[in-house]
Amino acid sequence: KCPVRCLQDVVKGLFVCCVFLDYVSLSQRFIPELINFLLGILYIATPNKQNQGYTLVHPFRAFGKNSELLLVSDEEDMATWQRKSLSLHWASGLKAQTKTEANHTRLSCLAVCLALVKRCVLMYGVLPSFHDITRPLRALLTEHLADCSHPRELQELCQSILTEMENQKHHCQPLICEKSKPVPLKLFTPRLVKVLEFGRKQGSSKEEQERKRLIHKHKREFKGAVREIRKDNQFLARMQLSEIMERDAERKRKVKQLFNSLATQEGEWKALKRKKFKK
């Protein structure tokens, strides 16, 4: 969104573009703002803008003071320029001391922009959304190639970008509506069960109701039989216990009677023995 007014703004913008591409290199997510900025950089470095058929959008301006910010017209500076890495000292506000150094920086910015464009073509070339901007991009690159005063390295870079654009195939097709509606899947008729009052036995047919009635009757009879068997077992256990207790009581009574008779006989024998001793 920041306007491009000087070379420092161009260097900052290209640095942000490099960061963008590094972050989306794996996901290959399409970033329209990045492509728009690169097209704007090519636009301000291209002469004869009336015949390009491309509408410039914000933050670049088609006409004005900064519309030809990267345009280099000095052939001597083009001949002495050598491609090298663009220093980030320009992003800190440091200005060029001579006109030749400023022109060399413009050409270096253009070289970095073309390298980023080539990287975008390799990354987004198969996306349908990228093919919408290939026409203005092709027009800008062709305009660069038509100007023979540009250095040879820049011309070769432009030619390689155009070659990559030609080699890209349309693997993806845009989404379109179908001509006919899709045939719906066949569904089974829903089974409607009549909801009866709470507590009643529910069933869908008489056979099922009769089956549930028999199952319920069987469970009830089974529980009743188990209850009767349990009662019989308890009665038998009580009878056996009472018989055992009666036998034990009878045995204790006989044992007690026997001891009593023995004690009586012992007393009579002792009394008889004392009478004999006195005589």
Side-chain angles (χ1 to χ4, degrees):
K1 294 182 180 180
C2 300
V4 180
R5 300 175 180 176
C6 57
L7 291 178
Q8 287 79 9
D9 297 337
V10 175
V11 175
K12 293 176 183 178
L14 292 175
F15 173 74
V16 174
C17 291
C18 293
V19 174
F20 261 116
L21 287 178
D22 288 338
Y23 270 89
V24 299
S25 59
L26 295 178
S27 62
Q28 296 185 358
R29 181 179 178 182
F30 182 70
I31 305 175
E33 295 83 2
L34 186 146
I35 304 299
N36 175 53
F37 187 84
L38 295 179
L39 288 177
I41 295 298
L42 293 178
Y43 187 88
I44 62 178
T46 308
N48 303 325
K49 300 178 175 57
Q50 293 80 5
N51 301 327
Q52 291 179 0
Y54 170 65
T55 303
L56 200 64
V57 296
H58 186 78
F60 298 94
R61 295 182 180 181
F63 302 99
K65 179 180 178 181
N66 300 319
S67 61
E68 296 181 353
L69 184 62
L70 298 182
L71 186 61
V72 179
S73 57
D74 195 341
E75 297 182 357
E76 295 182 359
D77 295 340
M78 291 184 182
T80 57
W81 174 78
Q82 293 181 357
R83 184 180 179 182
K84 59 182 180 179
S85 300
L86 187 62
S87 177
L88 289 178
H89 291 292
W90 283 92
S92 61
L94 185 63
K95 296 182 180 180
Q97 297 180 358
T98 60
K99 182 179 179 181
T100 301
E101 186 176 353
N103 288 334
H104 287 177
T105 304
R106 290 186 178 93
L107 295 175
S108 298
C109 291
L110 183 57
V112 173
C113 179
L114 291 174
L116 293 176
V117 169
K118 183 178 181 179
R119 188 175 176 183
C120 291
V121 170
L122 295 175
M123 185 181 300
Y124 304 130
V126 296
L127 299 179
S129 55
F130 184 78
H131 292 285
D132 298 336
I133 61 173
T134 54
R135 185 172 58 182
L137 180 60
R138 194 186 306 275
L140 290 172
L141 294 177
T142 306
E143 187 66 24
H144 279 295
L145 288 174
D147 190 0
C148 300
S149 60
H150 280 86
R152 180 181 177 182
E153 295 184 5
L154 294 180
Q155 295 183 19
E156 292 178 353
L157 190 56
C158 292
Q159 186 62 42
S160 64
I161 295 174
L162 291 174
T163 304
E164 291 293 339
M165 292 174 63
E166 293 293 336
N167 295 334
Q168 292 293 341
K169 298 181 181 180
H170 298 273
H171 296 286
C172 302
Q173 297 295 333
L175 297 178
I176 58 175
C177 297
E178 295 183 359
K179 296 181 180 180
S180 59
K181 294 183 179 180
V183 179
L185 298 176
K186 293 183 179 180
L187 303 178
F188 294 101
T189 304
R191 179 183 179 183
L192 302 178
V193 179
K194 184 179 179 181
V195 179
L196 304 179
E197 296 180 3
F198 178 76
R200 290 189 177 183
K201 302 299 179 182
Q202 301 179 11
S204 60
S205 62
K206 292 183 179 181
E207 291 79 5
E208 187 175 354
Q209 291 180 359
E210 184 67 18
R211 178 176 173 274
K212 289 183 179 180
R213 188 184 66 81
L214 292 176
I215 291 175
H216 178 68
K217 184 177 179 180
H218 173 266
K219 288 183 179 180
R220 186 176 60 205
E221 295 293 337
F222 180 77
K223 290 181 180 179
V226 171
R227 192 184 305 111
E228 293 296 332
I229 293 174
R230 189 180 296 114
K231 288 181 180 180
D232 294 342
N233 291 334
Q234 292 176 358
F235 176 75
L236 293 175
R238 286 195 300 269
M239 294 299 295
Q240 291 177 0
L241 181 61
S242 62
E243 292 178 358
I244 292 173
M245 292 179 67
E246 288 179 358
R247 289 197 301 267
D248 291 345
E250 182 68 20
R251 177 175 170 275
K252 288 181 180 180
R253 186 182 62 80
K254 290 181 178 181
V255 171
K256 186 177 181 181
Q257 185 178 2
L258 180 61
F259 273 105
N260 290 335
S261 62
L262 290 175
T264 303
Q265 291 179 7
E266 185 179 2
E268 291 178 355
W269 184 79
K270 287 182 179 181
L272 182 60
K273 188 177 182 180
R274 281 194 300 267
K275 286 180 181 181
K276 288 180 179 181
F277 181 74
K278 289 180 180 181
K279 290 179 178 182

